[in-house]
Amino acid sequence: MMMMMAETMTSEMQACMDACMNCHKMCMETMTHCMSKSGMHMDKSMMSMMSMMRDCAEMCMMCMNMMMGGSEFMERTCMLCAEMCDRCAMACEMMSDDAKMMQCAAACRKCAESCRSMHMMTA
């Protein structure tokens, strides 16, 4: 089955997909924010942070795709997404004086929680 049937989509799955979409969006926006702040003076830690945000955004997109497709790997994908979102949130929270970084951290935390709840549904 390539696309999940609408009637098999639970409200929890839809909430998780919404959280993944928002996290993806926030990570991408925050990367742009970091580039505009740092400009040509990007240090190694900022490069690492941006790489983590990019990976988190990509994982969120993959997670959404797995849920929409009804993949047998959805549960494991959600757990990996939760782990990556937690790590991204921790990194963003280290810059607590930056409102955009804190918004990104909050979106990552919400996504991680939602992805973990998907694991609980199938357990």
Side-chain angles (χ1 to χ4, degrees):
M1 175 196 309
M2 284 302 285
M3 286 300 285
M4 180 171 272
M5 302 300 267
E7 52 273 0
T8 62
M9 180 73 65
T10 66
S11 60
E12 290 84 2
M13 289 175 79
Q14 186 61 55
C16 187
M17 288 178 24
D18 291 346
C20 285
M21 179 70 81
N22 186 53
C23 187
H24 176 274
K25 177 181 172 282
M26 284 304 303
C27 284
M28 298 302 287
E29 286 178 7
T30 306
M31 284 174 42
T32 301
H33 169 74
C34 290
M35 285 189 285
S36 69
K37 278 183 68 170
S38 298
M40 297 298 290
H41 307 289
M42 189 119 359
D43 65 7
K44 195 173 185 176
S45 67
M46 187 56 77
M47 294 286 281
S48 176
M49 166 90 64
M50 290 181 64
S51 178
M52 185 180 302
M53 283 187 270
R54 183 199 65 236
D55 290 349
C56 184
E58 290 295 326
M59 191 67 219
C60 287
M61 189 60 69
M62 178 188 261
C63 195
M64 284 189 323
N65 289 338
M66 293 287 183
M67 282 187 273
M68 284 191 294
S71 173
E72 66 183 280
F73 299 105
M74 179 181 74
E75 180 183 337
R76 287 188 274 172
T77 303
C78 284
M79 290 310 295
L80 180 57
C81 187
E83 181 182 342
M84 291 175 78
C85 286
D86 280 337
R87 288 189 185 181
C88 191
M90 283 189 287
C92 289
E93 288 165 350
M94 292 171 67
M95 303 177 101
S96 60
D97 60 330
D98 187 312
K100 189 68 172 177
M101 296 301 278
M102 296 310 289
Q103 289 174 344
C104 187
C108 288
R109 291 278 183 214
K110 183 173 182 177
C111 186
E113 181 181 325
S114 190
C115 282
R116 270 191 290 282
S117 74
M118 294 304 298
H119 173 71
M120 301 310 261
M121 283 180 52
T122 60

